[in-house]
Amino acid sequence: MLEEGQECEYDQRRNRADGFDEEAITQLLCIPGQDFARTATGRRVWIMRTNMTTLTQIWMTLLLSNIQPSDHNSDLPLPKCQLVYAILTWMSIHVAQLIADAIYLFAGMPPTRHPLDPDKSNRAWGFPALITGLCQSFGVPVVPSKVIRPPITHVFIEKYCTARQAQGGDPQAPDAPLPPPQADPTGSFDTERYLRHLVRQQEANHRVHVQTHYSLYQLSLSLQSQGFVSFPCPTPDQFRAEVAWPGDWPEAQAGEAPAETPAEALSKADKAREDEEMTGLLDFLGGSGAT
């Protein structure tokens, strides 16, 4: 227990130029083979959540929810990495002072307007659970307008805090290069088959983009409904208008016959190939000439 005015070990380390060994922080907080993101000069700046161990992610969740609230949780900057390191190495920490400092900074932040609703603030809530709990402890009637996050449970850890390495991913192994395209046995290049393949690839890419946008749009609506800081995201109609997808297959120009669909083109090409093969067979058997 710290006495009034006593400086904790974490503060002592933080106020010294050589207070924290960044290499030791990397070894403790990151999964093997991973490191901080660095600037062009090599200075460590943050650790991506996907590069953290399970234990680091658990403490990061607690830190960003109850001690130094933030709605940005995809990575952890160096100062907060130092705090997690201090927790994991059992340094003395004045948690009440950290919370008080965070409240002071939060209260002094200038308000910002919501990008979609000018009458609504775009700033995240700070310490909703703490404020609600303190009000209730003094008998103030409280009707929370925001759902408090549930406690960190085993199910939560399995779903959100499992290290990528434990899930079977190899952080050091790069994506395997695609095998080179196989040449036709006759040495020729089948342009028609290649173009059909490109059309299918473009169709798949378009479906991915549409689904990704829809997921982001739903996320933005969910964040707004919960009072979190959201981001401007076009509606599906706005997205379609901006992308202006020309369709999966070329349309006919004025004066031209209607363009075939990929399935029709494939069927026609197969039929033509079969006719050509049958003609060659008849020629070989002598059945296509005059008898």
Side-chain angles (χ1 to χ4, degrees), residues 85-158:
Y85 177 81
I87 293 172
L88 296 178
T89 54
W90 295 88
M91 294 184 192
S92 60
I93 301 172
H94 200 322
V95 178
Q97 187 61 54
L98 291 177
I99 294 176
D101 292 342
I103 293 176
Y104 179 81
L105 291 175
F106 186 85
M109 291 172 55
T112 56
R113 295 295 96 192
H114 195 278
L116 302 179
D117 185 357
D119 296 329
K120 185 178 180 181
S121 174
N122 197 32
R123 193 169 65 180
W125 287 28
F127 301 95
L130 176 62
I131 295 172
T132 301
L134 289 174
C135 290
Q136 288 179 326
S137 67
F138 281 91
V140 178
V142 174
V143 181
S145 59
K146 180 178 178 61
V147 177
I148 304 301
R149 294 177 183 175
I152 299 175
T153 62
H154 179 71
V155 174
F156 179 91
I157 294 172
E158 286 290 332

Side-chain angles (χ1 to χ4, degrees), residues 18-161:
D18 60 343
F20 287 95
D21 183 346
E22 295 181 1
E23 189 61 36
I25 294 177
T26 302
Q27 294 295 323
L28 185 60
L29 271 56
C30 295
I31 57 179
Q34 296 303 309
D35 194 357
F36 280 82
R38 297 173 181 254
T39 64
T41 59
R43 182 174 61 86
R44 292 179 169 94
V45 285
W46 64 71
I47 299 177
M48 296 299 298
R49 186 185 187 100
T50 52
N51 293 340
M52 298 177 183
T53 66
T54 296
L55 186 58
T56 303
Q57 292 185 51
I58 294 172
W59 280 107
M60 171 184 173
T61 302
L62 179 66
L63 174 67
L64 299 183
S65 298
N66 292 13
I67 301 176
Q68 294 179 339
S70 173
D71 58 347
H72 180 78
N73 58 11
S74 60
D75 58 65
L76 199 64
L78 177 59
K80 292 182 178 179
C81 288
Q82 293 172 345
L83 178 53
V84 174
Y85 177 81
I87 293 172
L88 296 178
T89 54
W90 295 88
M91 294 184 192
S92 60
I93 301 172
H94 200 322
V95 178
Q97 187 61 54
L98 291 177
I99 294 176
D101 292 342
I103 293 176
Y104 179 81
L105 291 175
F106 186 85
M109 291 172 55
T112 56
R113 295 295 96 192
H114 195 278
L116 302 179
D117 185 357
D119 296 329
K120 185 178 180 181
S121 174
N122 197 32
R123 193 169 65 180
W125 287 28
F127 301 95
L130 176 62
I131 295 172
T132 301
L134 289 174
C135 290
Q136 288 179 326
S137 67
F138 281 91
V140 178
V142 174
V143 181
S145 59
K146 180 178 178 61
V147 177
I148 304 301
R149 294 177 183 175
I152 299 175
T153 62
H154 179 71
V155 174
F156 179 91
I157 294 172
E158 286 290 332
K159 187 174 182 179
Y160 297 107
C161 300

Side-chain angles (χ1 to χ4, degrees), residues 85-250:
Y85 177 81
I87 293 172
L88 296 178
T89 54
W90 295 88
M91 294 184 192
S92 60
I93 301 172
H94 200 322
V95 178
Q97 187 61 54
L98 291 177
I99 294 176
D101 292 342
I103 293 176
Y104 179 81
L105 291 175
F106 186 85
M109 291 172 55
T112 56
R113 295 295 96 192
H114 195 278
L116 302 179
D117 185 357
D119 296 329
K120 185 178 180 181
S121 174
N122 197 32
R123 193 169 65 180
W125 287 28
F127 301 95
L130 176 62
I131 295 172
T132 301
L134 289 174
C135 290
Q136 288 179 326
S137 67
F138 281 91
V140 178
V142 174
V143 181
S145 59
K146 180 178 178 61
V147 177
I148 304 301
R149 294 177 183 175
I152 299 175
T153 62
H154 179 71
V155 174
F156 179 91
I157 294 172
E158 286 290 332
K159 187 174 182 179
Y160 297 107
C161 300
T162 302
R164 182 176 61 182
Q165 190 178 49
Q167 294 175 333
D170 184 353
Q172 292 179 307
D175 294 337
L178 295 175
Q182 299 297 319
D184 189 271
T186 63
S188 62
F189 182 77
D190 192 337
T191 304
E192 181 182 346
R193 189 192 314 175
Y194 178 69
L195 291 177
R196 290 201 303 270
H197 179 69
L198 288 180
V199 170
R200 294 191 185 101
Q201 283 184 321
Q202 292 297 333
E203 292 174 2
N205 288 337
H206 179 60
R207 289 195 298 271
V208 169
H209 293 157
V210 171
Q211 185 59 42
T212 301
H213 167 264
Y214 182 76
S215 299
L216 290 173
Y217 178 67
Q218 293 298 319
L219 174 61
S220 68
L221 295 180
S222 176
L223 291 174
Q224 294 172 34
S225 65
Q226 298 178 51
F228 288 102
V229 176
S230 184
F231 51 91
C233 186
T235 66
D237 289 339
Q238 292 171 335
F239 178 78
R240 285 192 291 268
E242 180 67 24
V243 172
W245 176 246
D248 297 337
W249 200 249

Side-chain angles (χ1 to χ4, degrees), residues 239-272:
F239 178 78
R240 285 192 291 268
E242 180 67 24
V243 172
W245 176 246
D248 297 337
W249 200 249
E251 297 180 358
Q253 302 296 323
E256 295 180 346
E260 299 171 318
T261 65
E264 292 171 341
L266 180 60
S267 177
K268 184 176 180 181
D270 290 341
K271 186 177 185 303

